[in-house]
Amino acid sequence: MQEYGDWEILSPVKGLHRPGTLSQISPCRNLGLRAFDLQTRSAKIKMANFVGRWEDTGERENFEEFATAMNLPADMLEKYRATKQTIQYGINGNTWTMNPSSTLFPGKEKVYTFEIGKEVNDTGLDGNPIKFVITVVNDNEIFEDLKVKMGDSWKDYKVSRKVDGDTMTTTLSAFGKTMTSTQRKLK
């Protein structure tokens, strides 16, 4: 146990305790330092539900309608229909990783490194420029504001991912249409 004035460190987990009181507070806060950014700490806790590798089950709702709105040619429509995707999430400190892969682009995996609420500029598995910002909605849901450059313009996509146990439901909205797909967590 170390003492700082009339504060004593009980443990790194419990923080500081003023003798004779029941209150405990962060030792760094009492030393004039910022121990945690509460939003980041909260996001880390919430992200834990997403950490791991998720595989597409092939269950899709409104796929045809969504693909038609995207103006996919018939041959690409069939390729997208047969596609299986995986996505893996990880966290290390304030840094998150997202590693998507797809049978549509075999051998092309990407690892996106990001912080919650900060824009990322990169390329997608198809090589098109992308921009995205991920935010945490609650313990079981994240939201992605995604922009994909197609030709000379940027297309907006809204992606919601909700976890319920070992099932993740992804809702993708764009072109005035919404498609839903389901992923299972791999053990």
Side-chain angles (χ1 to χ4, degrees):
M1 176 173 60
Q2 295 177 319
E3 293 187 10
Y4 292 93
D6 60 346
W7 298 93
E8 60 188 29
I9 297 178
L10 297 176
S11 74
V13 174
K14 292 183 179 178
L16 288 178
H17 175 75
R18 177 176 271 169
T21 70
L22 297 175
S23 63
Q24 292 184 352
I25 51 182
S26 165
C28 292
R29 182 171 289 249
N30 284 306
L31 297 174
L33 303 173
R34 208 165 169 189
F36 295 105
D37 174 342
L38 294 178
Q39 183 179 2
T40 302
R41 182 172 180 229
S42 177
K44 285 181 198 174
I45 293 166
K46 292 174 183 175
M47 181 63 177
N49 293 331
F50 289 87
V51 171
R53 191 166 186 87
W54 300 84
E55 184 176 63
D56 199 0
T57 64
E59 297 173 41
R60 293 185 182 97
E61 292 179 25
N62 299 327
F63 171 77
E64 297 285 335
E65 192 175 282
F66 190 84
T68 301
M70 285 182 66
N71 292 320
L72 283 180
D75 63 327
M76 287 303 290
L77 182 96
E78 289 309 313
K79 288 180 182 179
Y80 272 94
R81 185 189 330 275
T83 294
K84 290 283 190 171
Q85 298 182 17
T86 60
I87 190 165
Q88 183 168 340
Y89 290 101
I91 187 169
N92 183 7
N94 294 335
T95 304
W96 294 18
T97 57
M98 178 174 60
N99 180 357
S101 62
S102 171
T103 58
L104 188 60
F105 306 104
K108 291 187 179 181
E109 285 194 24
K110 291 284 293 189
V111 176
Y112 300 105
T113 303
F114 61 95
E115 290 184 34
I116 293 299
K118 293 188 178 178
E119 185 176 73
V120 173
N121 291 292
D122 209 318
T123 57
L125 292 174
D126 60 1
N128 286 329
I130 63 170
K131 298 177 185 182
F132 65 87
V133 176
I134 295 180
T135 55
V136 175
V137 176
N138 60 47
D139 289 353
N140 299 310
E141 184 178 5
I142 58 176
F143 179 80
E144 181 177 349
D145 187 4
L146 170 67
K147 296 177 185 342
V148 178
K149 190 162 188 187
M150 295 181 180
D152 293 333
S153 64
W154 289 90
K155 305 297 181 192
D156 291 327
Y157 294 82
K158 306 299 182 203
V159 184
S160 169
R161 298 184 196 276
K162 295 180 183 178
V163 171
D164 183 9
D166 286 344
T167 301
M168 180 166 58
T169 303
T170 301
T171 304
L172 177 63
S173 299
F175 312 103
K177 303 295 178 190
T178 299
M179 180 182 83
T180 303
S181 62
T182 305
Q183 296 79 37
R184 297 265 185 251
K185 193 170 197 174
L186 299 176
K187 305 231 179 208

